[in-house]
Every structure is written in structure tokens, then in C-alpha cells.
Amino acid sequence: MYVILTTKPGQFRTEISDGVVPVESYDYFFYGNKRAQFTIAELVRDDARITIVEDEPPQITNSVPSKLFEKFDTREEALRELNTLTHYGSMDIVLKPV
């Protein structure tokens, strides 16, 4: 199973935890400005948790069960969903592989 993890610079970052293996990452540019980084990750354990850390003090950390994330059977399905979520009409949006 695969999930899409998000990091938004200046707001929060998603950290790789036990049972989660990053497969590929993309920087998301909206009209030339980097707004986020998305990582497609494989869940190798059913009980894996995703760690999300706020960037601003006091840098609150949340450990979220992976069962709360939308899951995809294949990496390709996750990438299709990421493209659907990040593109709209003719807006200047780029997903650049990292």
C-alpha cells in the first residue's frame, strides 16, 4: 500500500517513520513558487504511524496512524491521484521530481 505525504515549508514537515519507506518525491510549484513537497511512500507495516512536525515553535509533533491516510494499491495510482490533486485547468503548476 502507498500513501501521499505532504511537507509545506514554513508550516509543517512530514517525517519518515518506522514502517514507512519513501519511494519518490516531487516539489510542487505554483506560478514559479515552491509551495510544498509531496512524497509517495510505501507502507511496509499495517500499524505504521506518520510523524508530522510543525515548523513554528513550539514545534508540536503529531504521530498519526497511517490508517487515517488515503491508501493506494500501487505507486502509479498514488501518482495519478497526486496529479489530480495538484492540477487545475490551465494554471501554471509544476510537479518536479526531486
Side-chain angles (χ1 to χ4, degrees):
M1 294 300 234
Y2 295 83
V3 294
I4 299 171
L5 307 177
T6 305
T7 293
K8 288 190 175 184
Q11 295 181 27
F12 65 90
R13 69 183 181 279
T14 303
E15 297 180 345
I16 300 303
S17 308
D18 288 339
V20 180
V21 177
V23 176
E24 57 193 62
S25 294
Y26 297 88
D27 285 339
Y28 170 73
F29 292 91
F30 184 77
Y31 287 90
N33 295 311
K34 182 179 173 183
R35 297 295 180 125
Q37 183 176 76
F38 296 104
T39 299
I40 296 174
E42 183 176 10
L43 297 175
V44 294
R45 287 191 357 223
D46 291 336
D47 64 343
R49 297 181 74 85
I50 311 297
T51 303
I52 301 170
V53 181
E54 291 182 359
D55 285 346
E56 294 294 319
Q59 293 184 312
I60 296 169
T61 299
N62 292 298
S63 179
V64 181
S66 61
K67 69 180 180 181
L68 298 178
F69 285 73
E70 184 173 2
K71 293 178 191 61
F72 306 92
D73 290 329
T74 66
R75 180 201 67 80
E76 292 79 13
E77 286 178 17
L79 184 56
R80 267 195 305 276
E81 180 67 11
L82 181 57
N83 275 299
T84 298
L85 292 171
T86 57
H87 289 85
Y88 183 76
S90 61
M91 295 179 123
D92 180 12
I93 296 171
V94 175
L95 276 180
K96 181 179 176 185
V98 176

